Amino acid sequence: MNDHRTDHSVWKDMALGVAGILLQYGAFHPLDIGVFGWICLVPWIILAVRPTSYFTWWTLYLSSFSLALCQLRWMTVADYRMVGTWLLLSWWCSLFPWCGLKGLNFFLPRINLPLTLMIPIIWVALEYAKSFLLTGFPWYFLAHTQHSVIPLIQSADLSGTQLLSFAVGMTNGLAVDFILFCINSKNQQRQSALLIVSATISVFLLISGLWVYGLWRLSSIDFQEGPTVALLQGNHAQAVRNSDEHFQKTWLDYRTMLDKAKERDVDLIVWPETSFPFELPAKVGTSGPLLGRNDENEIWSGPPQLLGVNVVVMDGKDVVCRHNSSMLQDFQSGIVTRYDKIHRVPFGEYIPFKDWIPAMNWLSPYDFDYSIRAGNEPTHFLLPWDNRTISFNSLLCYEDSDFALTRWAMTYNRQPDFWVNQSNDGWFQGTEEHSQHLAIARFRCVETRRSMVRAVNSGISAIIDPCGRLLVPQKISDGIYEASSTVIGSGAWKWNDFMNMSMILVGKIPLCSDSAPYVFFGDWIAWCCFVLLGFGLARYCFPYKSS
């Protein structure tokens, strides 16, 4: 590498770094310009494959860190103490693209493949690693930039986000291959012309194939109307949730919404995550109390209710642990079923390394120890409907972004008929977090071919069909919306109208019994990418010597 820097090369590096930030930021919410996704990595790839100095790598890292700061700035509105968490997570997320570009520079001469293939191999592998390391953060994938392109996201039932991320990565690599082809000498161009043509045809065939596959799946999947659900969406600021005044207001708001929801003749009422304002006790080995026996029978009656609740597990008078839970109360049968959240949010629901590093407690948005214990297994909730019993699984908070968890739940004992996501996005006060969270949830529906209903404090509550399409809400009275059979794939800006408001969303859940290959075959594309990278590493560690 040439260590000599000129003013021209410094400004060129900085310009490419900033261009990469702008394109990647624009590809996701709040701008949601999905077409940027197809070229958003190009400036950074050019820097990585043609570095002019060590300053180039510093430019790439600072650009990656700056992008993460911009994308995750919604964390800072939750609480002033979350600024430290924002900086820490931004640093962590910035390592993945930087390591990917550094790895590209390392593997390129060792794996004789064009950038059209090298970029998606490295990027898909890094997205997969990012999903699991340090509890995982599976957000801001290349595939997520295409969440509103309904034919393309149908490929998620084959390979999750990985095949679509691979295709988007290929177009980025092809763009750089073409740019390098154009600036090479005429002799090099003659040698590379066939490679460019082959790469272009490959990208065209892959994207065309995904599009045709998506259209076929959209036309071949059959739905039937399922149970009617009422999703309660409060609008309660989390910074004051523990004050007496706010407690009373929360309780009054939800009592009012409950009365209105039961007037709609629904089969299930869903509360958002932790929105039930009381902490409910449960004896060890039991699911918890049944409301409505000794208190306010006019409220705790009617159709089953899925509460989003904090549960304290008791052994006699001793507190064993606490859980963030979904609790299904069937007032007709007297059956209570509970699911305890498995994928906890660091700093929000537990403090990592707090026993070793006490300063970690400063990064929590609570004035007290809110640590909860993780659950052990998925819970299949049973719901009587139409003279039969169907089942659903609850996904709490960001569990709807955890593709490994939903795939596990699909193969655990029995397949659910639909998903329920209970979230509390009131921390983020109308930022792009609401829209990005909804966009990611759409992929879980396609991966499993199951609908998802989302009850979210502060929004965006929604009903998503098994093809990842959103059922359009129509206002039928003050504070009550009904999800029509009309579906939309784009127009995400319209959904921002449903943030920071209280409402009830009523609708029928589309049921689908199709099986998705991804549930059975899993993350085969990601593992193929790891194998290829392992091959390149092996060639470096054990170079072949010809005789």
Coordinates of all heavy atoms in Angstrom, one line a residue, residues 86-159:
W86 N -26.2 4.1 23.3 CA -26.2 4.5 21.8 C -24.7 4.5 21.3 O -24.5 3.9 20.2 CB -26.8 5.8 21.7 CG -26.6 6.5 20.4 CD1 -27.0 6.1 19.2 CD2 -26.0 7.8 20.2 NE1 -26.6 7.0 18.2 CE2 -26.1 8.1 18.8 CE3 -25.5 8.8 21.1 CZ2 -25.6 9.3 18.3 CZ3 -25.0 10.0 20.5 CH2 -25.1 10.2 19.2
L87 N -23.8 5.1 22.0 CA -22.4 5.1 21.6 C -21.8 3.7 21.6 O -21.1 3.4 20.6 CB -21.6 6.0 22.5 CG -22.0 7.5 22.5 CD1 -21.2 8.3 23.6 CD2 -21.7 8.1 21.2
L88 N -22.1 2.9 22.6 CA -21.6 1.6 22.6 C -22.1 0.7 21.5 O -21.3 0.0 20.8 CB -21.9 0.9 24.0 CG -21.2 -0.4 24.3 CD1 -19.7 -0.3 24.4 CD2 -21.7 -0.9 25.7
L89 N -23.4 0.7 21.3 CA -24.0 -0.1 20.2 C -23.5 0.4 18.8 O -23.3 -0.4 17.9 CB -25.5 -0.1 20.3 CG -26.2 -0.9 19.2 CD1 -25.8 -2.4 19.4 CD2 -27.7 -0.8 19.4
S90 N -23.4 1.7 18.7 CA -22.9 2.3 17.4 C -21.5 1.8 17.1 O -21.1 1.4 16.0 CB -23.0 3.8 17.4 OG -24.3 4.3 17.5
W91 N -20.6 1.8 18.2 CA -19.3 1.3 18.0 C -19.3 -0.1 17.6 O -18.6 -0.5 16.6 CB -18.5 1.5 19.3 CG -17.2 0.7 19.3 CD1 -16.0 1.1 18.7 CD2 -17.0 -0.6 19.9 NE1 -15.1 0.1 18.9 CE2 -15.7 -0.9 19.6 CE3 -17.8 -1.4 20.7 CZ2 -15.1 -2.1 20.1 CZ3 -17.3 -2.6 21.2 CH2 -15.9 -2.9 20.9
W92 N -20.1 -0.9 18.2 CA -20.2 -2.4 17.9 C -20.7 -2.6 16.5 O -20.1 -3.4 15.7 CB -21.1 -3.1 18.9 CG -21.4 -4.5 18.7 CD1 -22.5 -5.1 18.3 CD2 -20.4 -5.6 18.7 NE1 -22.4 -6.5 18.2 CE2 -21.1 -6.8 18.4 CE3 -19.0 -5.6 19.0 CZ2 -20.4 -8.0 18.4 CZ3 -18.4 -6.9 19.0 CH2 -19.1 -8.0 18.7
C93 N -21.7 -1.9 16.1 CA -22.3 -2.1 14.8 C -21.3 -1.6 13.7 O -21.3 -2.2 12.6 CB -23.6 -1.4 14.6 SG -24.9 -2.1 15.6
S94 N -20.5 -0.6 14.0 CA -19.6 -0.1 13.0 C -18.4 -1.0 12.7 O -17.8 -0.9 11.6 CB -19.0 1.3 13.5 OG -18.1 1.1 14.6
L95 N -18.2 -2.0 13.6 CA -17.1 -2.9 13.4 C -17.4 -3.9 12.2 O -16.5 -4.3 11.5 CB -16.8 -3.7 14.6 CG -16.3 -2.9 15.8 CD1 -16.1 -3.9 17.0 CD2 -15.0 -2.2 15.5
F96 N -18.7 -4.2 12.0 CA -19.0 -5.2 11.0 C -18.7 -4.7 9.6 O -18.1 -5.4 8.8 CB -20.5 -5.6 11.2 CG -20.7 -6.5 12.4 CD1 -21.0 -5.9 13.6 CD2 -20.5 -7.8 12.4 CE1 -21.2 -6.6 14.8 CE2 -20.7 -8.6 13.5 CZ -21.0 -8.0 14.7
P97 N -19.2 -3.6 9.1 CA -18.9 -3.2 7.8 C -17.4 -2.9 7.6 O -16.8 -3.2 6.5 CB -19.7 -1.9 7.5 CG -20.1 -1.4 8.9 CD -20.2 -2.6 9.7
W98 N -16.8 -2.3 8.6 CA -15.3 -2.1 8.5 C -14.5 -3.4 8.4 O -13.7 -3.5 7.6 CB -14.8 -1.3 9.8 CG -13.4 -0.8 9.6 CD1 -13.0 0.3 8.9 CD2 -12.2 -1.5 10.1 NE1 -11.6 0.3 9.0 CE2 -11.1 -0.7 9.7 CE3 -12.1 -2.6 10.9 CZ2 -9.8 -1.1 10.1 CZ3 -10.8 -3.0 11.2 CH2 -9.7 -2.2 10.8
C99 N -14.9 -4.4 9.2 CA -14.2 -5.7 9.1 C -14.5 -6.3 7.8 O -13.7 -7.0 7.2 CB -14.6 -6.6 10.3 SG -14.0 -6.1 11.9
G100 N -15.7 -6.1 7.3 CA -16.1 -6.7 6.0 C -15.2 -6.1 4.9 O -14.8 -6.8 4.0
L101 N -15.0 -4.8 4.9 CA -14.2 -4.2 3.8 C -12.8 -4.5 4.0 O -12.1 -4.7 3.0 CB -14.5 -2.7 3.9 CG -15.9 -2.2 3.6 CD1 -16.1 -0.8 4.0 CD2 -16.2 -2.4 2.1
K102 N -12.3 -4.6 5.2 CA -10.9 -5.0 5.5 C -10.8 -6.5 5.0 O -9.7 -6.8 4.4 CB -10.6 -4.9 7.0 CG -9.1 -5.0 7.3 CD -8.4 -3.7 6.9 CE -7.0 -3.7 7.4 NZ -6.2 -2.5 7.0
G103 N -11.8 -7.3 5.3 CA -11.7 -8.7 4.8 C -11.8 -8.8 3.3 O -11.1 -9.7 2.7
L104 N -12.5 -7.9 2.7 CA -12.5 -7.9 1.2 C -11.1 -7.6 0.7 O -10.7 -8.3 -0.3 CB -13.5 -6.8 0.7 CG -13.5 -6.5 -0.8 CD1 -14.1 -7.7 -1.5 CD2 -14.4 -5.3 -1.1
N105 N -10.4 -6.7 1.2 CA -9.1 -6.4 0.8 C -8.1 -7.6 1.0 O -7.2 -7.8 0.3 CB -8.5 -5.2 1.6 CG -7.2 -4.7 1.1 OD1 -6.2 -5.1 1.6 ND2 -7.2 -3.8 0.1
F106 N -8.4 -8.4 2.1 CA -7.6 -9.5 2.4 C -7.9 -10.7 1.5 O -7.0 -11.4 0.9 CB -7.8 -9.9 3.8 CG -7.2 -11.2 4.2 CD1 -5.9 -11.3 4.6 CD2 -8.0 -12.4 4.2 CE1 -5.3 -12.5 4.9 CE2 -7.4 -13.6 4.6 CZ -6.0 -13.7 5.0
F107 N -9.2 -11.0 1.3 CA -9.6 -12.2 0.5 C -9.6 -12.0 -1.0 O -9.4 -13.0 -1.7 CB -11.1 -12.6 0.9 CG -11.2 -13.3 2.2 CD1 -11.8 -12.6 3.3 CD2 -10.7 -14.5 2.4 CE1 -12.0 -13.3 4.5 CE2 -10.8 -15.2 3.7 CZ -11.4 -14.5 4.7
L108 N -9.7 -10.8 -1.5 CA -9.8 -10.6 -2.9 C -8.6 -11.3 -3.7 O -8.9 -12.0 -4.7 CB -9.8 -9.1 -3.2 CG -10.4 -8.7 -4.5 CD1 -11.8 -9.3 -4.7 CD2 -10.5 -7.2 -4.7
P109 N -7.4 -11.1 -3.2 CA -6.3 -11.8 -4.0 C -6.2 -13.3 -3.7 O -5.5 -14.0 -4.4 CB -5.0 -11.1 -3.5 CG -5.4 -10.6 -2.2 CD -6.8 -10.2 -2.2
R110 N -6.9 -13.8 -2.7 CA -6.8 -15.2 -2.3 C -8.0 -16.0 -2.8 O -7.9 -17.3 -2.8 CB -6.7 -15.3 -0.8 CG -5.4 -14.7 -0.3 CD -5.3 -14.5 1.2 NE -4.0 -14.0 1.6 CZ -3.7 -12.7 1.7 NH1 -4.6 -11.8 1.3 NH2 -2.5 -12.3 2.0
I111 N -9.1 -15.4 -3.0 CA -10.2 -16.1 -3.7 C -10.5 -15.4 -5.0 O -10.9 -14.3 -5.1 CB -11.5 -16.0 -2.8 CG1 -11.2 -16.6 -1.4 CG2 -12.6 -16.8 -3.5 CD1 -12.5 -16.5 -0.5
N112 N -10.2 -16.2 -6.1 CA -10.2 -15.6 -7.4 C -11.6 -15.4 -7.9 O -12.1 -16.1 -8.8 CB -9.4 -16.4 -8.3 CG -9.1 -15.8 -9.7 OD1 -9.2 -14.5 -9.8 ND2 -8.9 -16.5 -10.7
L113 N -12.3 -14.5 -7.3 CA -13.7 -14.2 -7.7 C -13.9 -12.7 -7.9 O -13.2 -11.9 -7.3 CB -14.7 -14.6 -6.5 CG -14.8 -16.1 -6.3 CD1 -15.7 -16.4 -5.1 CD2 -15.4 -16.9 -7.5
P114 N -14.8 -12.3 -8.8 CA -15.1 -10.9 -9.0 C -15.8 -10.3 -7.8 O -16.4 -11.0 -7.0 CB -15.9 -10.9 -10.2 CG -16.6 -12.2 -10.2 CD -15.6 -13.2 -9.7
L115 N -15.8 -9.0 -7.7 CA -16.5 -8.3 -6.6 C -18.0 -8.6 -6.6 O -18.6 -8.6 -5.6 CB -16.2 -6.8 -6.7 CG -14.8 -6.3 -6.4 CD1 -14.7 -4.8 -6.8 CD2 -14.5 -6.5 -4.9
T116 N -18.5 -8.9 -7.8 CA -19.9 -9.2 -7.9 C -20.3 -10.4 -7.0 O -21.4 -10.5 -6.5 CB -20.2 -9.6 -9.4 OG1 -19.8 -8.5 -10.2 CG2 -21.7 -9.8 -9.6
L117 N -19.3 -11.3 -6.8 CA -19.5 -12.4 -5.9 C -18.9 -12.2 -4.5 O -19.5 -12.7 -3.5 CB -19.0 -13.7 -6.5 CG -19.8 -14.3 -7.6 CD1 -19.1 -15.5 -8.2 CD2 -21.2 -14.7 -7.2
M118 N -17.8 -11.6 -4.4 CA -17.1 -11.4 -3.2 C -17.9 -10.5 -2.2 O -18.0 -10.8 -1.0 CB -15.7 -10.7 -3.4 CG -14.7 -11.7 -3.9 SD -14.4 -13.1 -2.8 CE -14.0 -12.3 -1.2
I119 N -18.5 -9.5 -2.7 CA -19.3 -8.6 -1.8 C -20.4 -9.3 -1.1 O -20.6 -9.3 0.1 CB -19.7 -7.3 -2.6 CG1 -18.5 -6.4 -2.9 CG2 -20.7 -6.5 -1.7 CD1 -17.8 -5.9 -1.7
P120 N -21.3 -10.0 -1.9 CA -22.4 -10.6 -1.2 C -22.0 -11.8 -0.2 O -22.6 -12.0 0.8 CB -23.3 -11.2 -2.3 CG -22.4 -11.2 -3.5 CD -21.4 -10.1 -3.3
I121 N -20.9 -12.5 -0.6 CA -20.4 -13.5 0.3 C -20.0 -13.0 1.6 O -20.3 -13.5 2.7 CB -19.2 -14.3 -0.4 CG1 -19.7 -15.1 -1.6 CG2 -18.5 -15.2 0.6 CD1 -18.6 -15.7 -2.4
I122 N -19.2 -11.9 1.6 CA -18.7 -11.3 2.8 C -19.9 -10.6 3.6 O -20.0 -10.8 4.8 CB -17.6 -10.3 2.5 CG1 -16.3 -11.0 2.1 CG2 -17.3 -9.4 3.7 CD1 -15.2 -10.1 1.6
W123 N -20.8 -9.9 2.9 CA -21.8 -9.1 3.6 C -22.8 -10.0 4.2 O -23.3 -9.8 5.3 CB -22.5 -8.2 2.6 CG -22.6 -6.8 3.2 CD1 -23.7 -6.2 3.7 CD2 -21.5 -5.9 3.4 NE1 -23.4 -5.0 4.3 CE2 -22.0 -4.7 4.1 CE3 -20.1 -5.9 3.1 CZ2 -21.3 -3.6 4.4 CZ3 -19.4 -4.8 3.4 CH2 -19.9 -3.7 4.1
V124 N -23.2 -11.1 3.5 CA -24.2 -12.0 4.1 C -23.6 -12.7 5.3 O -24.3 -12.9 6.4 CB -24.7 -13.1 3.1 CG1 -25.5 -14.2 3.7 CG2 -25.5 -12.4 2.0
A125 N -22.3 -13.1 5.3 CA -21.7 -13.7 6.4 C -21.7 -12.7 7.6 O -21.9 -13.1 8.8 CB -20.3 -14.2 6.1
L126 N -21.4 -11.5 7.3 CA -21.3 -10.5 8.4 C -22.7 -10.2 9.0 O -22.8 -10.0 10.2 CB -20.7 -9.2 7.9 CG -19.1 -9.2 7.8 CD1 -18.6 -8.0 7.1 CD2 -18.4 -9.5 9.1
E127 N -23.7 -10.1 8.2 CA -25.0 -9.9 8.7 C -25.5 -11.1 9.6 O -26.1 -10.8 10.6 CB -26.0 -9.8 7.5 CG -25.9 -8.4 6.8 CD -26.9 -8.3 5.7 OE1 -27.6 -9.3 5.3 OE2 -27.1 -7.2 5.1
Y128 N -25.1 -12.3 9.2 CA -25.4 -13.4 10.0 C -24.7 -13.4 11.4 O -25.3 -13.6 12.4 CB -25.1 -14.7 9.3 CG -25.6 -15.9 9.9 CD1 -27.0 -16.3 9.9 CD2 -24.8 -16.8 10.6 CE1 -27.5 -17.4 10.5 CE2 -25.3 -18.0 11.2 CZ -26.6 -18.2 11.1 OH -27.1 -19.4 11.7
A129 N -23.4 -13.0 11.3 CA -22.7 -12.9 12.6 C -23.2 -11.8 13.5 O -23.3 -12.0 14.7 CB -21.2 -12.7 12.3
K130 N -23.6 -10.7 12.9 CA -24.2 -9.6 13.6 C -25.5 -10.0 14.3 O -25.8 -9.4 15.3 CB -24.4 -8.4 12.7 CG -24.9 -7.1 13.3 CD -25.2 -6.1 12.2 CE -25.9 -4.9 12.8 NZ -26.3 -3.9 11.7
S131 N -26.2 -11.0 13.8 CA -27.4 -11.4 14.3 C -27.3 -12.2 15.6 O -28.3 -12.3 16.4 CB -28.2 -12.3 13.3 OG -28.4 -11.6 12.1
F132 N -26.1 -12.6 16.0 CA -25.9 -13.5 17.1 C -24.9 -13.0 18.1 O -25.0 -13.2 19.3 CB -25.6 -14.9 16.7 CG -26.6 -15.6 15.9 CD1 -26.6 -15.6 14.5 CD2 -27.7 -16.2 16.5 CE1 -27.6 -16.2 13.7 CE2 -28.7 -16.8 15.8 CZ -28.7 -16.8 14.4
L133 N -23.8 -12.4 17.7 CA -22.8 -12.0 18.6 C -23.2 -11.0 19.6 O -23.9 -10.0 19.3 CB -21.6 -11.4 17.8 CG -20.9 -12.4 16.9 CD1 -19.7 -11.7 16.1 CD2 -20.3 -13.6 17.7
L134 N -22.9 -11.2 20.9 CA -23.3 -10.3 22.0 C -24.8 -10.1 22.0 O -25.3 -9.0 22.0 CB -22.6 -8.9 21.9 CG -21.1 -9.0 22.2 CD1 -20.5 -7.6 22.2 CD2 -20.8 -9.7 23.5
T135 N -25.6 -11.2 21.9 CA -27.0 -11.3 21.9 C -27.6 -11.0 20.5 O -28.8 -11.3 20.3 CB -27.7 -10.5 23.0 OG1 -27.8 -9.1 22.6 CG2 -27.1 -10.7 24.3
G136 N -26.9 -10.3 19.7 CA -27.3 -10.1 18.3 C -28.1 -8.8 18.1 O -28.8 -8.3 19.0
F137 N -27.9 -8.2 16.9 CA -28.7 -7.0 16.5 C -29.0 -7.1 15.0 O -28.3 -6.6 14.2 CB -27.9 -5.7 16.8 CG -28.7 -4.5 16.6 CD1 -29.8 -4.1 17.3 CD2 -28.3 -3.6 15.5 CE1 -30.5 -3.0 17.1 CE2 -29.0 -2.4 15.3 CZ -30.1 -2.1 16.1
P138 N -30.1 -7.9 14.7 CA -30.3 -8.2 13.3 C -31.1 -7.1 12.6 O -32.2 -7.3 12.0 CB -31.1 -9.5 13.3 CG -31.8 -9.4 14.7 CD -30.9 -8.7 15.6
W139 N -30.6 -5.9 12.6 CA -31.3 -4.7 12.0 C -30.3 -4.2 10.9 O -29.2 -4.5 10.8 CB -31.5 -3.6 13.0 CG -32.7 -3.8 13.9 CD1 -32.9 -5.0 14.6 CD2 -33.7 -2.9 14.3 NE1 -34.1 -4.8 15.4 CE2 -34.5 -3.6 15.2 CE3 -33.9 -1.6 13.9 CZ2 -35.6 -2.9 15.7 CZ3 -35.0 -0.9 14.5 CH2 -35.9 -1.6 15.4
Y140 N -30.9 -3.4 10.0 CA -30.2 -2.7 8.9 C -29.4 -3.7 8.0 O -28.3 -3.5 7.7 CB -29.3 -1.6 9.5 CG -30.0 -0.6 10.3 CD1 -30.0 -0.5 11.7 CD2 -30.8 0.4 9.6 CE1 -30.8 0.4 12.4 CE2 -31.5 1.3 10.3 CZ -31.5 1.4 11.7 OH -32.2 2.3 12.4
F141 N -30.1 -4.7 7.6 CA -29.6 -5.6 6.6 C -29.9 -5.1 5.2 O -30.8 -4.3 5.0 CB -30.2 -7.0 6.7 CG -29.8 -7.8 7.9 CD1 -30.3 -9.0 8.1 CD2 -28.9 -7.3 8.8 CE1 -30.0 -9.8 9.2 CE2 -28.5 -8.0 9.9 CZ -29.0 -9.3 10.1
L142 N -29.1 -5.5 4.2 CA -29.3 -5.1 2.8 C -30.7 -5.4 2.4 O -31.4 -4.7 1.7 CB -28.3 -5.7 1.9 CG -26.9 -5.2 2.0 CD1 -26.0 -5.9 1.0 CD2 -26.8 -3.7 1.7
A143 N -31.2 -6.6 2.8 CA -32.5 -7.1 2.4 C -33.6 -6.1 2.9 O -34.7 -5.9 2.3 CB -32.8 -8.5 2.9
H144 N -33.4 -5.5 4.1 CA -34.4 -4.7 4.7 C -34.7 -3.4 3.9 O -35.8 -2.8 4.0 CB -34.0 -4.3 6.1 CG -33.9 -5.4 7.0 ND1 -33.1 -5.4 8.2 CD2 -34.5 -6.7 7.0 CE1 -33.2 -6.6 8.8 NE2 -34.1 -7.3 8.1
T145 N -33.7 -3.0 3.0 CA -34.0 -1.9 2.1 C -35.1 -2.1 1.1 O -35.7 -1.2 0.6 CB -32.7 -1.5 1.4 OG1 -32.3 -2.5 0.5 CG2 -31.6 -1.2 2.3
Q146 N -35.4 -3.4 0.9 CA -36.4 -3.8 -0.1 C -37.7 -4.3 0.5 O -38.5 -5.0 -0.1 CB -35.8 -4.9 -1.0 CG -34.5 -4.5 -1.6 CD -34.5 -3.2 -2.4 OE1 -35.4 -3.0 -3.2 NE2 -33.6 -2.3 -2.1
H147 N -38.0 -3.9 1.8 CA -39.1 -4.5 2.5 C -40.5 -4.2 1.8 O -41.4 -4.9 2.0 CB -39.2 -3.9 3.9 CG -39.5 -2.4 4.0 ND1 -40.8 -2.0 4.2 CD2 -38.8 -1.3 3.9 CE1 -40.9 -0.7 4.2 NE2 -39.6 -0.2 4.0
S148 N -40.5 -3.1 1.1 CA -41.8 -2.7 0.4 C -41.9 -3.3 -1.0 O -43.0 -3.1 -1.6 CB -42.0 -1.2 0.4 OG -40.9 -0.6 -0.3
V149 N -40.9 -4.0 -1.5 CA -41.0 -4.6 -2.8 C -41.5 -6.0 -2.6 O -40.7 -6.9 -2.5 CB -39.6 -4.5 -3.5 CG1 -39.7 -5.0 -5.0 CG2 -39.0 -3.1 -3.5
I150 N -42.8 -6.2 -2.7 CA -43.4 -7.4 -2.2 C -43.0 -8.6 -3.0 O -42.7 -9.7 -2.4 CB -44.9 -7.3 -2.2 CG1 -45.4 -6.2 -1.2 CG2 -45.6 -8.6 -1.9 CD1 -44.9 -6.4 0.2
P151 N -42.8 -8.6 -4.3 CA -42.4 -9.8 -5.1 C -41.0 -10.2 -4.6 O -40.7 -11.4 -4.5 CB -42.4 -9.4 -6.5 CG -43.4 -8.3 -6.6 CD -43.3 -7.5 -5.3
L152 N -40.1 -9.3 -4.4 CA -38.7 -9.7 -4.0 C -38.6 -10.3 -2.6 O -37.8 -11.2 -2.4 CB -37.8 -8.5 -4.1 CG -37.4 -8.0 -5.5 CD1 -36.5 -6.8 -5.4 CD2 -36.8 -9.1 -6.3
I153 N -39.4 -9.8 -1.7 CA -39.3 -10.3 -0.3 C -39.9 -11.7 -0.1 O -39.7 -12.4 0.9 CB -39.9 -9.4 0.8 CG1 -41.4 -9.3 0.7 CG2 -39.2 -8.0 0.7 CD1 -42.0 -8.5 1.8
Q154 N -40.6 -12.2 -1.2 CA -41.1 -13.6 -1.1 C -39.9 -14.6 -1.0 O -40.2 -15.7 -0.6 CB -42.0 -13.9 -2.3 CG -43.2 -13.0 -2.4 CD -43.9 -12.8 -1.1 OE1 -44.4 -13.7 -0.5 NE2 -44.1 -11.5 -0.7
S155 N -38.7 -14.2 -1.5 CA -37.6 -15.1 -1.4 C -37.2 -15.5 0.1 O -36.5 -16.4 0.3 CB -36.4 -14.5 -2.1 OG -36.0 -13.3 -1.4
A156 N -37.8 -14.7 1.0 CA -37.5 -15.0 2.4 C -38.0 -16.4 2.8 O -37.5 -16.9 3.8 CB -38.1 -13.9 3.3
D157 N -39.0 -16.9 2.2 CA -39.4 -18.3 2.6 C -38.4 -19.4 2.1 O -38.6 -20.5 2.5 CB -40.8 -18.6 2.1 CG -40.9 -18.9 0.6 OD1 -39.9 -18.6 -0.1 OD2 -42.0 -19.3 0.1
L158 N -37.4 -19.0 1.3 CA -36.4 -19.9 0.9 C -35.1 -19.8 1.8 O -34.5 -20.8 2.1 CB -35.9 -19.6 -0.5 CG -37.0 -19.9 -1.6 CD1 -36.4 -19.4 -3.0 CD2 -37.4 -21.3 -1.7
S159 N -34.8 -18.6 2.2 CA -33.5 -18.4 2.9 C -33.5 -17.2 3.9 O -32.5 -16.6 4.1 CB -32.4 -18.2 1.9 OG -32.8 -17.0 1.1

